[in-house]
Amino acid sequence: MIYLHGELGAGKTTCVRSLLRTLGVAGLIRSPTYTLVETYRSQGMTFIHVDLYRLGGPDAVEELGLRDYLGTDCLLLVEWPAKGGSALPPSDLDVTLTYQDDSRRALLTASDPTRPGVDHEASA
């Protein structure tokens, strides 16, 4: 579970596209802004790209059925996770994209599954 944070235009969808290409997804990679959920398959894995920006709140997240995708052969990439609130499971990695001068900055925060409550941060 990867959460992507950042204001409009920060590059969340571009980041997801780049990651999916690196993971072998071929063909058109669409923004899920209007469809809310886009699904891709590559190398025996399923990638679910979700955009919650237009969602009304946590109740609407349940209707998307995201919990059905949780498993070892599936990676969920969620834009605007704050809109999902407690209806979303915790993230394994948070990517926060911000503007800095004429460029963008990415802050990666990974949860440590062996030490609940302890996060590790890296900036790029």
Side-chain angles (χ1 to χ4, degrees), residues 36-50:
L36 302 179
V37 178
E38 291 289 339
T39 304
Y40 306 94
R41 290 214 32 98
S42 178
Q43 301 178 20
M45 284 196 64
T46 301
F47 304 99
I48 309 298
H49 184 191
V50 182

Side-chain angles (χ1 to χ4, degrees), residues 76-122:
L76 273 80
L77 304 130
V78 182
E79 297 185 34
W80 301 97
K83 300 260 185 180
S86 61
L88 289 174
S91 67
D92 297 300
L93 178 68
D94 284 87
V95 178
T96 303
L97 301 171
T98 57
Y99 296 104
Q100 185 171 7
D101 301 322
D102 291 333
S103 61
R104 290 182 173 93
R105 183 172 183 84
L107 175 66
L108 308 176
T109 306
S111 299
D112 186 340
T114 63
R115 299 174 61 198
V118 176
D119 291 333
H120 300 282
E121 293 187 4

Side-chain angles (χ1 to χ4, degrees), residues 25 55 87 123:
V25 174
L55 229 55
S123 182

Side-chain angles (χ1 to χ4, degrees), residues 58-82:
D59 291 339
V61 172
E62 290 296 332
E63 294 176 20
L64 294 177
L66 297 180
R67 292 194 186 276
D68 295 340
Y69 296 111
L70 297 178
T72 57
D73 64 342
C74 188
L75 176 63
L76 273 80
L77 304 130
V78 182
E79 297 185 34
W80 301 97

